Amino acid sequence: MQVPAERLDQIANRFAELEARMASGQLEGDAFVQASRDYAELEPVAKIAAEVKAAREEIESLEEMLADPEMKAMAEEELAALRKRLPEAERQLAIAMLPRDSADNKPAMLEIRAGTGGDEAALFAGDLYRMYERYAAEQGWKVEPVSMSASEVGGFKEIVANVTGTGVFAKLKFESGVHRVQRVPETESGGRIHTSAATVAVLPEPDEVDVQIDPGDLKIDVYRASGAGGQHVNTTDSAVRITHLPTNTVVTCQDGRSQHKNREKAMQVLRTRLYDAQREATQGAEAEARKAMVGSGDRSERIRTYNYPQGRVTDHRIGLTLQKLPQIIAGPGLGELVDALIAEDEAKRLAAMND
């Protein structure tokens, strides 16, 4: 897919305009924030566009040099190298120009819940959380637990965490779905392999302006926390339950000592879930098109299997199997899967645009 020369000029002009505005020192408040976002989004596109334009111009110049017998041999050699590199640069530019999900640069709410498999599922949910936590650390992101329900044997029945940093949702959005594990539980004396599962949901976290919540639509209950947490947590009414009456969405938070902080965290989760529901509603028309991509985002969809006896991880959506389970479950190795999913999604969207 070759981008027209006029479009390359438009990108360069727009980027130069943004650079001038940012350097003027006249932008303040929301205007500066918006310009910064636009600049960060356009910068990689402008860089590739400049490379493509320079390569095209150099090819034209070298083609003119072919008429000079003394320069012909050198021109042919350089032309061959440029013509070999240009198609990949054109492809990278086309990918960079693909429409982006408006939520790609947002932080995300990571929710992991133990599924079928009892105690083993809870242990696996804990393994998944630590995998994402270590991967996030490698990316320079911050992970902050919002609420959790620990299992008596270890791991989690449920854990919700806020992940902040650059490009969080863009990289984690394909992790939503059912993750299946096949391994011999520590409690299994006969050495039999058990299959358990945990569900992962990755939701883009909105800014407060993205979701307007009428306080009159909320029912807020405070109560005494239950379970582990120390004497103070269990003897004060610090736990908070918020019900959004129009949608019957219920969120709870009981992990902190402070009722005020628990309420803030619960509201954070509520905004995220309402924003996700809004996105699903507005993107309904795109649902069929999304099915052709890497995944539908359906949290009931089985997306990946972690097979411990064979040391492999298989992503069923793109048919990719890696014999690297220890590296992946440890965190850093997850990047190879994430990158493959993003590349597959970009390739399919690019092909759809060319059809």
Side-chain angles (χ1 to χ4, degrees):
M1 179 180 177
Q2 191 175 72
V3 178
E6 295 81 2
R7 183 68 178 121
L8 295 182
D9 291 336
Q10 289 173 359
I11 293 170
N13 292 338
R14 173 59 177 157
F15 187 63
E17 177 188 334
L18 279 171
E19 278 190 315
R21 290 184 66 200
M22 294 288 292
S24 69
Q26 298 177 355
L27 297 178
E28 296 180 358
D30 292 344
F32 179 81
V33 172
Q34 185 59 53
S36 298
R37 288 176 178 172
D38 292 344
Y39 182 88
E41 185 176 330
L42 188 58
E43 185 178 24
V45 181
K47 182 179 179 181
I48 301 173
E51 291 174 1
V52 169
K53 184 177 181 179
R56 289 182 186 177
E57 290 174 350
E58 191 170 352
I59 285 174
E60 287 182 9
S61 177
L62 289 168
E63 286 174 341
E64 292 175 0
M65 291 171 60
L66 292 176
D68 185 340
E70 294 183 2
M71 305 293 291
K72 183 177 180 180
M74 182 188 72
E76 285 179 340
E77 183 179 346
E78 292 186 17
L79 266 174
L82 272 174
R83 285 171 174 164
K84 186 176 181 180
R85 293 202 312 267
L86 184 57
E88 178 58 23
E90 297 269 13
R91 178 179 172 277
Q92 290 300 321
L93 177 58
I95 289 174
M97 292 175 63
L98 284 171
R100 298 292 168 183
D101 187 331
S102 60
D104 274 355
N105 288 325
K106 291 186 179 294
M109 197 71 71
L110 173 67
E111 303 181 359
I112 304 174
R113 294 177 177 84
T116 55
D119 290 343
E120 176 64 11
L123 291 170
F124 179 50
D127 292 339
L128 289 177
Y129 177 71
R130 286 183 288 275
M131 176 183 76
Y132 290 122
E133 195 174 36
R134 292 164 185 157
Y135 174 70
E138 187 182 59
Q139 299 296 311
W141 301 339
K142 180 181 178 182
V143 179
E144 181 182 7
V146 174
S147 67
M148 66 180 73
S149 175
S151 167
E152 293 179 358
V153 297
F156 302 102
K157 297 176 184 176
E158 173 182 311
I159 182 165
V160 178
N162 176 238
V163 187
T164 56
T166 303
V168 171
F169 186 68
K171 288 198 171 185
L172 290 184
K173 62 184 176 182
F174 297 122
E175 294 301 300
S176 291
V178 176
H179 294 239
R180 186 177 65 170
V181 63
Q182 296 171 328
R183 62 186 178 188
V184 179
E186 293 180 6
T187 55
E188 172 56 58
S189 59
R192 293 177 300 173
I193 297 173
H194 286 225
T195 298
S196 306
T199 60
V200 174
V202 179
L203 312 179
E205 187 179 342
D207 299 322
E208 287 197 31
V209 295
D210 293 329
V211 180
Q212 299 296 325
I213 300 177
D214 185 343
D217 290 337
L218 302 179
K219 180 176 181 288
I220 302 176
D221 301 305
V222 294
Y223 57 99
R224 189 163 299 174
S226 60
Q231 183 179 2
H232 182 87
V233 170
N234 292 301
T235 56
T236 61
D237 291 337
S238 59
V240 175
R241 179 190 301 111
I242 301 178
T243 304
H244 185 249
L245 299 174
T247 61
N248 200 33
T249 302
V250 181
V251 297
T252 61
C253 186
Q254 64 174 32
D255 298 293
R257 290 185 175 189
S258 165
Q259 182 188 123
H260 177 70
K261 288 184 178 179
N262 281 341
R263 177 169 174 163
E264 280 186 352
K265 288 183 177 181
M267 283 298 297
Q268 185 182 24
V269 175
L270 178 62
R271 275 194 298 270
T272 299
R273 292 183 183 171
L274 293 179
Y275 179 62
D276 185 57
Q278 288 178 10
R279 278 169 48 83
E280 286 187 2
T282 57
Q283 294 176 354
E286 303 173 14
E288 289 302 315
R290 289 295 302 166
K291 287 181 181 177
M293 308 304 172
V294 166
S296 64
D298 185 347
R299 285 161 228 157
S300 66
E301 176 187 9
R302 188 191 71 182
I303 63 168
R304 194 175 295 153
T305 296
Y306 304 73
N307 186 294
Y308 275 71
Q310 297 179 20
R312 62 174 169 83
V313 177
T314 299
D315 195 286
H316 304 291
R317 296 162 296 178
I318 57 177
L320 175 64
T321 294
L322 298 175
Q323 301 291 337
K324 299 179 179 181
L325 187 148
Q327 298 95 313
I328 291 170
I329 208 70
L334 180 62
E336 187 172 350
L337 273 173
V338 169
D339 292 343
L341 288 161
I342 292 173
E344 182 73 8
D345 181 63
E346 289 174 340
K348 289 188 175 182
R349 289 196 292 138
L350 190 58
M353 286 187 67
N354 292 334
D355 288 344

